């Protein structure tokens, strides 16, 4: 079965975004009259809660305040998150969320190989649009046949829902696709959806348990996604051969021992 589509997580996989998210959250708190500050250490802990609105609600639940105050703060979550999303888009537009190494080459090689591209992310559609536009240009938005994100599904990662949503929209079987993820929750979601999964841990998720992934790479730039010597781009063959060659050469960890 040939490789039909590559499905990408966004935050931490396509681009190094979480510092911009963290700064946007902190400014949004002040803009909404809240004396909260999420340090790098606190944010790293909070990242286990997928979804910005859910993350704010989880933080509120952790505060030593009365139930009535907690209820008052919970009612502010949508407005805080709307402020944060606007601020995040502004930071992204100013170049504060660069693509990770190797991502653009992979996207262009996959397109040259006639493959489809899709997104399966927890973040909002507005954030995805802002990021693709800022990093690749608005003309790159149509590169993605499917942009599955945010509240399109009820259960966020590690539930497989967003990947199943993307597969249905692609009308593709899991065996025809490869998922790219940076976090334990994302890898679990992709694997639960039956996808061959490449884990590329980011500076925020390094140390998480991505052992369920089929391949773990330090960077997508570690793999040569350029068209083969014959000039006929066959990303699927290249991808699989490159990955297996790299495993054989010991350049890639294969958590499950022999290549699948
Ligand atoms: C990462 C997330 C998101 C971002 C914040 O999503 O969990 O919540 O941290 O973005 P993924 P929002 O790795 O699946 O792309 O505030 O828009 O949720
Ligand atoms: Mg991610």
């Amino acid at each position: 079965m040939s490789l039909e589509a590559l499905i990408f997580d966004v935050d931490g996989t396509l681009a190094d975004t979480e510092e911009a998210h963290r700064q946007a959250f902190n400014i949004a708190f002040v803009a909404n009259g809240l004396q909260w500050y999420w340090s790098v250490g606190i944010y790293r802990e909070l990242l286990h809660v997928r979804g910005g609105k859910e993350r704010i609600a989880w933080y509120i639940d952790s505060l030593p305040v009365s139930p009535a105050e907690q209820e008052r703060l919970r009612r502010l979550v949508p407005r805080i998150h709307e402020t944060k999303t606007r601020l995040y888009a502004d930071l992204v537009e100013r170049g504060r969320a660069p693509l990770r190494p190797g991502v653009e080459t992979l996207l262009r090689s996959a397109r040259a190989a006639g493959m489809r591209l899709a997104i399966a992310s927890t973040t909002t559609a507005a954030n995805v649009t802002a990021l693709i536009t800022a990093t690749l240009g608005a003309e790159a938005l149509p590169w993605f046949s499917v942009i599955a994100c945010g509240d399109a599904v009820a259960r966020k990662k590690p539930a497989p829902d967003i990947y199943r949503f993307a597969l249905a929209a692609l009308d593709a079987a899991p065996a025809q696709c490869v998922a790219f993820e940076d976090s334990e929750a994302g890898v679990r979601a992709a694997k639960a959806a039956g996808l061959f999964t490449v884990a590329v841990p980011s500076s925020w998720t390094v140390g998480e348990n991505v052992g369920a992934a089929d391949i773990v790479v330090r960077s997508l730039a570690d793999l040569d996604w350029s068209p083969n010597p014959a000039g006929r781009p066959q990303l699927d063959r290249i991808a699989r051969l490159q990955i297996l060659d790299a495993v054989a050469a010991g350049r890639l960890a294969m958590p499950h021992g022999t290549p699948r």
Side-chain angles (χ1 to χ4, degrees):
M1 195 177 272
S2 73
L3 206 45
E4 285 292 316
L6 304 185
I7 308 176
F8 292 88
D9 163 55
V10 172
D11 294 299
T13 302
L14 281 186
D16 200 350
T17 61
E18 292 297 355
E19 178 55 17
H21 281 299
R22 184 182 75 90
Q23 291 178 19
F25 277 114
N26 284 328
I27 302 167
F29 297 153
V30 174
N32 283 277
L34 297 162
Q35 302 307 312
W36 300 344
Y37 176 72
W38 287 356
S39 66
V40 169
I42 288 173
Y43 194 64
R44 193 181 300 278
E45 288 305 307
L46 289 172
L47 270 177
H48 78 274
V49 182
R50 312 310 290 178
K53 294 190 291 294
E54 294 81 355
R55 195 166 298 145
I56 299 169
W58 191 93
Y59 179 73
I60 289 169
D61 289 350
S62 73
L63 294 175
V65 296
S66 69
E69 175 60 359
Q70 260 180 1
E71 192 44 45
R72 182 188 76 84
L73 291 171
R74 276 183 160 273
R75 282 196 296 273
L76 295 177
V77 170
R79 193 175 75 195
I80 298 167
H81 195 249
E82 279 162 22
T83 310
K84 176 264 175 182
T85 299
R86 276 199 314 277
L87 291 161
Y88 172 77
D90 181 55
L91 290 169
V92 164
E93 281 153 24
R94 287 191 278 135
R96 305 284 284 276
L99 287 182
R100 289 191 66 189
V103 165
E104 182 166 353
T105 302
L106 171 53
L107 294 176
R108 291 185 183 279
S109 299
R111 282 170 46 77
M115 297 171 65
R116 287 183 291 167
L117 302 175
I119 278 172
S121 170
T122 305
T123 195
T124 59
N127 286 351
V128 174
T129 301
L131 181 74
I132 299 297
T133 303
T135 54
L136 293 166
E139 67 278 8
L141 283 169
W143 292 6
F144 299 88
S145 309
V146 170
I147 296 183
C149 53
D151 297 333
V153 292
R155 300 183 309 162
K156 290 189 163 72
K157 301 172 186 176
D161 302 27
I162 198 69
Y163 277 104
R164 288 182 177 149
F165 182 95
L167 287 165
L170 284 164
D171 189 22
Q176 294 177 292
C177 305
V178 170
F180 294 81
E181 268 288 354
D182 72 303
S183 67
E184 177 179 355
V187 167
R188 285 170 53 198
K191 290 310 296 174
L195 286 157
F196 184 95
T197 304
V198 178
V200 198
S202 67
S203 56
W204 290 92
T205 58
V206 68
E208 288 190 10
N209 177 4
V210 293
D214 296 276
I215 293 286
V216 182
V217 290
R218 185 180 50 84
S219 158
L220 289 179
D222 288 347
L223 295 171
D224 172 10
W225 303 101
S226 55
N228 66 8
R232 278 185 304 109
Q234 293 172 13
L235 189 72
D236 50 347
R237 206 170 61 76
I238 292 175
R240 300 289 170 107
L241 288 177
Q242 289 283 351
I243 285 170
L244 298 179
D245 289 351
V247 169
R251 289 200 315 275
L252 291 181
M254 191 72 166
H256 307 291
T258 51
R260 293 218 167 112

